[in-house]
Each structure stands twice: as C-alpha cells, then as structure tokens.
Amino acid sequence: MSTVLCVVCPRVNARDHSLPRNYCTQRRCSSNKLSSKPSFSSGVSAYSRAVANLSRSSEERVYEVVLKQAALVRKHRRESELDLKKPVENDGTTTIDWNRLNEAYERCREFCADYDNTFYLGTCTLLMMPELRRAFWAIIVWCRRTDELVDGPNAAYTTPKDLERWEKRLNDIFEGRPCDVYDVALSDTVSKYPIDIQPFKDMIEGMKLDLTKSRYENFDELYLYCYNVAGTVGLMSVPVIGIAPKSKASIESVYNAAIALGIANQLTNILRDVGEDAIRGRIYLPQDELAQAGLSDDDIFRGKVTDKWRSFMKGQIKRARMFYDEAEKGVSELNLASRWAVWASLLLYRQILDAIEANDYNNFTKRASVAKAKKLASLPVAYARALMGCSKLAKLAKLVMRYEPDTLA
Ligand SMILES: CC(C)=CCC/C(C)=C/CC/C(C)=C/CC/C(C)=C/[C@@H]1[C@@H](COP(=O)(O)OP(=O)(O)O)[C@]1(C)CC/C=C(\C)CC/C=C(\C)CCC=C(C)C
Ligand SMILES: [Mn+2]
C-alpha cells in the first residue's frame, strides 16, 4: 500500500505510520487544495444536524471551525482594504478610556507574571512586539482562568452551571460588555483582531469534559479533547499574529497548522503527566490503543515501566512529533515579527518529549523537564528558524540542538 500524504495533515496510512487508523479524511487532497465539504447547515432540521454531528469524525468537526475562522479573516481583510482607501473618521461619539484600557492590560501582564508557569509570559513578552504581547496577555489570562475553573484549587466546587455562566460572560466580552478588568482587555483585543468566539466556546466545552469524563475510548475522542483545550489556542493566536502578506498558503492550512501546534502541546502535556493524572483518577491515553498494547488502567495505576509500556510510549511520542511536524509547516507562513516566539514555544515544548525518552519512559514518578541551558540554547535556534525557514542554517541549528556534551565527553 502506498503512503498518501496530505499536505495539511501528516496523519497518514495506519500501516505506514503505526497509527490506529487513517485519520486523513477524503475531503483533504494531496495538492493542498481543499475539496468541497459536506454541508450540514441550511435547510436541515436540528435533529438531522445532531445525527450528522454524531457521524462526523472529530477532525471534520474541527475543520468546520477552521472554515468559519478563515471566513472571518477574509472578511476582515476585505474591510481593511476598504478602510485603507477611505479612512473612517472618528465622529466623536466613541470615547475610549485609554487609562482604563492600559490598566486592564497591565493587570493581565501581572496575572501572567504571578502565575506559576511563566513560560507563555516569557515567550510572548520577550519575543513579541508590544501591541501583540498585550493581546496575548489578555488571551492567556482568559485561558488560564478557564482552566482554573476545572483544575484550580476550587475546581471541586465547579459545576457545569458555572461553566454555562462563564460562557454567558464570554458572550458579553464579545459584545463589548466586559465584567471585570481582565475582561476589559480581552474585549478590546477581540474587537481589534478578527477572532471568532467559537474557539473560546470550544475551550469551555473541553473544560466541561474534564468535569465529566476521565477516560478516552480512542484517539478520535482524545483528538477532540486536545483540540478543545489546546488547539483552540492556536485559533485564537493566529488572528493576532497575522499571516505574512507574501504567504501563498491557504488561510485554512495555516489555521490547521496552528491547531496542530496546540494539539502537539497538549499531547506532550498528557504524556508528561501520566502519573500525576492517574493520581487524580484521569487517564487520557486512548483505551483501545492501551488494550492493543496489552496494557490496562491497572498497569498505569501500578506505574511500573515495562517493555510493553516503553513500546506503547514510543508510538505515542511518535504521534505527538507528527503534530509538531505539521505545525512547523505553518510557522513560516506567519508574520515575520512573531515567528521567533512561535518557534521558541514549539522547540521548547517539543523537547519535553526528548526528556521523557531520557527518563527511560518513566512518566509515572519522574517529571520530564528541560534544563535551563537547553531552553536558552533553543532561543537562537528559534531565531535562526524564524529568519531562514527551512534553510541550511535551520538544519545546522537542529544539529546544534542535538549536541549533547555529556555523550561526547
Ligand atoms: C501556524 C502556527 C503553527 C501558528 C502558531 C499558533 C500558536 C501561537 C499556537 C499556540 C499553541 C499553544 C501554546 C497552545 C497551548 C496548549 C496548552 C498547553 C493548553 C493548556 C490547556 C490545559 O492543559 P492542562 O490542564 O493539562 O495543563 P496545565 O497543567 O494546567 O498547564 C491549557 C492550560 C489551556 C490554557 C492555555 C494557556 C494558558 C496558554 C495560552 C497561550 C497563549 C495564548 C500564547 C501562545 C502564543 C505563543 C507565541 C506561544
Ligand atoms: Mn490545567
């Protein structure tokens, strides 16, 4: 059987890549042109829409969101072109309280700085232009607050009703009725950039899953969860970053790559945190793949690294890397000014997979982490990749990253 590689999606034939099944759906052809999609919208009853929803793969459902976001970006581009020709004068009826807005963004920056994990603050603050970094602070804060509802200290008291309220509040943010100072910043951000509300709603949906679901039957289910809690971050980010004016890629392919980066990050999180999650009774790894590998939930709760576990983990890491590879294709299509930050985050996060390997796949009791020196060494590499795309320098940079002083000594 020959390998058919889809340009926007590297998940290929199961036999060639030891994946549970072929995730590339018919709608994506190998020429990077997107074939027409089945329509579930006009003239279809709510019932048949619900049935259709059930029969669609997670990937198809996610792709609908990509199409919606791409349409919004196109509309925004058309409107900006018109604005260029005929600037709209401020008629004096709109008053913006700049002090309040600056204060709101500053509070978002502080929130990010106070938060335990300064990774995203670092990447966005150090490597991005001031206007963009403000937008990212606002988005990061909203994502973190959403995650806190199901993962924070009061998570045990969070009910689906609370998440519904959170969603209502999200609608208010998009309609220009912010509730608190952090919402003010996000409300401003979403009014400036062509960001659709759907990814935010989808993230809330993902957090709902964490309240109700602790097992994933197969990769299709896990894919949807990863899209919800992390792929959505890619959809929120690209409208702020922007696509390079010279890019020839379709908007959809860039958004697919952005989703892939979120999914790769989340798969990495899941593989790193197997032990911690098991303590909380959560197993994100696909049940059918565990069974195929001769493993059960009990093996995970026991937490013993066996050859079966190593071999299972190798497959999982391989798949996560494929998502990083898919994401890489999109980075060079982004506006140059933000590529460094995106490359940095991609390279830094991907190294956690190397750390799991270096721990001999013990992700039960050892937390995989990347040494500070290695993190710092990634920054010039990311810079080179941002400037050079896939050139010889990038290959050299890759070699430098593999350089392990200990093994050479
Ligand atoms: C074309 C192309 C490749 C474009 C790049 C688009 C882009 C910048 C994508 C960003 C992808 C990204 C960084 C996703 C974050 C994924 C993630 C780790 C999500 C976490 C979810 C829940 O996980 P969990 O509970 O298991 O983890 P914790 O232990 O709690 O950490 C999240 C926690 C959701 C919350 C997400 C954030 C706080 C991160 C938000 C980050 C941004 C908006 C900035 C991203 C931008 C750059 C440049 C890195
Ligand atoms: Mn969390």
Side-chain angles (χ1 to χ4, degrees):
M1 195 188 301
S2 65
T3 306
V4 185
L5 249 183
C6 174
V7 174
V8 286
C9 164
R11 279 148 288 159
V12 292
N13 197 291
R15 258 189 254 175
D16 297 312
H17 286 266
S18 50
L19 287 171
R21 69 181 175 84
N22 183 2
Y23 282 96
C24 265
T25 44
Q26 295 300 319
R27 68 196 159 75
R28 289 173 182 186
C29 72
S30 56
S31 62
N32 201 13
K33 290 201 180 83
L34 298 149
S35 54
S36 56
K37 291 280 295 90
S39 164
F40 296 95
S41 50
S42 57
V44 188
S45 73
Y47 173 74
S48 38
R49 262 204 307 277
V51 171
N53 227 354
L54 282 178
S55 66
R56 280 187 302 159
S57 74
S58 296
E59 227 196 341
E60 283 174 313
R61 287 157 73 172
V62 170
Y63 193 64
E64 302 262 307
V65 189
V66 170
L67 290 180
K68 206 171 157 220
Q69 175 61 50
L72 188 66
V73 172
R74 287 199 179 91
K75 183 169 168 268
H76 190 260
R77 278 185 187 172
R78 277 195 303 273
E79 284 170 3
S80 313
E81 274 164 23
L82 288 177
D83 281 352
L84 276 179
K85 282 176 204 139
K86 187 173 166 275
V88 181
E89 298 283 326
N90 186 343
D91 60 4
T93 53
T94 322
T95 49
I96 301 168
D97 185 340
W98 294 108
N99 285 339
R100 187 169 173 238
L101 208 51
N102 287 338
E103 157 78 6
Y105 280 113
E106 180 52 21
R107 291 282 296 279
C108 288
R109 191 193 64 75
E110 284 166 10
F111 180 108
C112 294
D114 287 347
Y115 204 87
D116 229 12
N117 181 348
T118 49
F119 174 66
Y120 293 110
L121 176 76
T123 347
C124 296
T125 306
L126 298 175
L127 311 182
M128 277 198 172
M129 292 191 313
E131 190 57 28
L132 301 198
R133 73 173 74 129
R134 280 158 53 109
F136 273 108
W137 294 335
I139 297 173
I140 294 172
V141 168
W142 186 87
C143 291
R144 259 298 157 223
R145 289 174 99 190
T146 309
D147 184 55
E148 282 289 284
L149 290 172
V150 296
D151 251 3
N154 295 322
Y157 306 103
T158 303
T159 63
K161 195 109 202 112
D162 294 323
L163 291 175
E164 272 162 37
R165 262 185 238 120
W166 189 244
E167 188 166 336
K168 213 188 140 290
R169 193 165 151 173
L170 174 72
N171 283 319
D172 289 342
I173 291 174
F174 271 77
E175 282 163 21
R177 291 188 306 272
C179 181
D180 67 9
V181 67
Y182 303 114
D183 291 359
V184 167
L186 186 60
S187 205
D188 179 62
T189 289
V190 300
S191 73
K192 281 192 180 133
Y193 300 97
I195 309 180
D196 193 43
I197 194 171
Q198 196 59 45
F200 292 82
K201 288 186 171 176
D202 289 346
M203 182 179 273
I204 297 176
E205 210 49 49
M207 300 304 173
K208 271 187 202 159
L209 285 177
D210 264 335
L211 289 184
T212 53
K213 193 171 162 82
S214 58
R215 296 291 184 280
Y216 291 80
E217 262 330 294
N218 48 42
F219 186 67
D220 195 56
E221 280 188 19
L222 183 63
Y223 174 90
L224 193 58
Y225 170 75
C226 291
Y227 157 74
N228 279 323
V229 301
T232 47
V233 179
L235 288 178
M236 298 167 192
S237 303
V238 175
V240 178
I241 295 172
I243 297 175
K246 280 189 182 158
S247 168
K248 299 260 183 308
S250 66
I251 299 177
E252 288 82 354
S253 68
V254 179
Y255 276 91
N256 275 323
I259 291 178
L261 182 55
I263 291 179
N265 286 346
Q266 190 59 18
L267 288 174
T268 305
N269 262 355
I270 288 172
L271 298 178
R272 182 194 57 196
D273 298 341
V274 170
E276 281 174 33
D277 288 333
I279 291 172
R280 295 190 296 170
R282 288 182 188 171
I283 297 178
Y284 290 100
L285 302 164
Q287 292 286 314
D288 61 347
E289 293 175 28
L290 280 168
Q292 266 166 35
L295 294 159
S296 67
D297 287 1
D298 279 346
D299 290 310
I300 291 176
F301 293 132
R302 240 177 266 131
K304 196 161 178 288
V305 180
T306 58
D307 280 346
K308 268 187 198 166
W309 179 251
R310 287 188 188 94
S311 141
F312 172 77
M313 277 301 298
K314 280 180 194 168
Q316 301 296 314
I317 289 177
K318 186 173 177 178
R319 176 160 57 208
R321 287 196 173 123
M322 287 169 76
F323 278 93
Y324 282 111
D325 292 346
E326 187 176 356
E328 279 200 13
K329 289 182 209 150
V331 188
S332 34
E333 309 301 336
L334 298 173
N335 268 338
L336 186 61
S338 303
R339 272 186 230 158
W340 188 14
V342 176
W343 270 118
S345 86
L346 187 154
L347 296 177
L348 290 169
Y349 230 80
R350 185 165 56 189
Q351 286 178 73
I352 297 174
L353 296 175
D354 305 340
I356 298 174
E357 288 171 337
N359 284 347
D360 190 28
Y361 306 99
N362 180 359
N363 42 6
F364 298 118
T365 55
K366 271 192 184 169
R367 188 177 167 91
S369 66
V370 181
K372 220 179 195 155
K374 253 194 159 176
K375 281 187 191 164
L376 285 175
S378 308
L379 295 181
V381 177
Y383 189 66
R385 298 208 78 170
L387 289 183
M388 313 292 290
C390 281
S391 73
K392 280 183 190 151
L393 188 61
K395 279 188 191 145
L396 182 71
K398 258 187 176 173
L399 280 178
V400 173
M401 282 190 67
R402 295 238 167 90
Y403 170 72
E404 297 271 356
D406 302 347
T407 50
L408 289 178

